[in-house]
Amino acid sequence: MCGRFTLLRDKVDCRQFGLDLQFSQLPHYNIAPRDQVTLIRNDHQRECVTASWGLVPGWLKDLSRAQINARADTIAEKPMFRHAFRQRRCLIPADGYFEWQSLPDRKQPWYIRKRDKSLMAFAGIWERYHASDDVFYDSCAIITTTANPLTAKVHDRMPVILQPEHYKTWLSADSDPASCQTLLQPLSPELLQLWPVSTYVNNPAHKGPQCIEAIAG
């Protein structure tokens, strides 16, 4: 799964996503479920917006059932995700993500990022929930797949990290969902690096640089 991630840079260049814009932000060291996250999508036109992390389809009555992750192998069939997968795909920029390794006496958090420190783009889906006729909000989920050999030592799942050559296909409303599903593969392990971090990150209220500082493994 993917339960926390980061967006550390204070300026995000969206030209790689087909948008001629940059946006400034405070660095986010510990993005947690229900936080507002940045995403790139096509909603009549390509745009950069924010949404709540935790997918809420319009028909959902129990909002506590919001889902932060969708499995790549079942996304096309599950009612919670299938309509968004067909019609409302998005990219979620990140610099890295956290995963927790189950050990006999504890869970050890690890931080995982691209070896060249370049911006990641998680494959995502989004929905719009209408609380009333004139009140609505957007939400999203990150798609996960089987871990690659590097990250599998920490957890058996990882977020789908799309390569730039796949962004156009993923975002296009004209793309065949079956073709999009073939993109939902683990990123090559040679492109990633990881290190153990302190359990400081376990608390979603902790948002500082200590979240990603390496500790002795």
Side-chain angles (χ1 to χ4, degrees):
M1 62 177 296
C2 176
R4 304 281 180 83
F5 67 99
T6 65
L7 188 56
L8 304 177
R9 57 200 69 203
D10 55 9
K11 291 186 183 294
V12 178
D13 188 341
C14 292
R15 285 177 293 184
Q16 65 177 286
F17 304 122
L19 285 170
D20 188 18
L21 64 87
Q22 285 188 338
F23 67 86
S24 300
Q25 59 151 32
L26 294 174
H28 296 297
Y29 287 89
N30 192 6
I31 299 172
R34 293 188 293 277
D35 284 353
Q36 289 291 305
V37 302
T38 299
L39 56 84
I40 313 298
R41 68 184 183 189
N42 275 337
D43 186 21
H44 305 298
Q45 62 181 2
R46 191 167 298 190
E47 59 186 3
C48 177
V49 299
T50 59
S52 176
W53 185 20
L55 194 75
V56 180
W59 49 262
L60 193 67
K61 302 302 182 184
D62 181 1
L63 301 189
S64 68
R65 293 179 54 213
Q67 299 292 305
I68 62 169
N69 292 157
R71 290 177 65 101
D73 49 330
T74 58
I75 193 170
E77 291 82 35
K78 283 202 169 184
M80 177 72 81
F81 309 121
R82 64 190 181 194
H83 295 297
F85 175 60
R86 291 171 190 162
Q87 303 172 16
R88 292 179 288 278
R89 296 180 295 273
C90 64
L91 298 170
I92 300 174
D95 283 306
Y97 70 96
F98 299 96
E99 196 51 82
W100 278 258
Q101 180 186 27
S102 293
L103 299 175
D105 59 341
R106 69 188 192 282
K107 286 196 171 183
Q108 172 60 52
W110 290 71
Y111 184 61
I112 302 160
R113 72 175 183 190
K114 280 191 173 180
R115 191 171 293 277
D116 65 2
K117 302 181 185 179
S118 62
L119 193 66
M120 295 177 173
F122 297 145
I125 52 177
W126 68 276
E127 284 278 16
R128 177 162 292 161
Y129 181 85
H130 287 269
S132 65
D133 290 343
D134 56 354
V135 176
F136 67 87
Y137 70 90
D138 292 344
S139 61
C140 64
I142 294 170
I143 301 172
T144 66
T145 187
T146 305
N148 64 34
L150 176 68
T151 62
K153 71 177 185 178
V154 175
H155 198 277
D156 62 358
R157 306 288 297 176
M158 68 180 294
V160 174
I161 302 167
L162 293 175
Q163 295 284 53
E165 60 266 27
H166 299 144
Y167 295 170
K168 183 177 180 180
T169 298
W170 181 253
L171 290 175
S172 175
D174 298 325
S175 295
D176 175 36
S179 299
C180 289
Q181 196 159 19
T182 66
L183 303 179
L184 303 180
Q185 305 296 326
L187 190 67
S188 172
E190 290 77 16
L191 299 178
L192 296 174
Q193 62 181 162
L194 74 171
W195 58 82
V197 297
S198 166
T199 54
Y200 178 83
V201 73
N202 291 359
N203 186 337
H206 292 164
K207 302 292 188 182
Q210 187 178 338
C211 291
I212 66 168
E213 290 175 1
I215 63 170

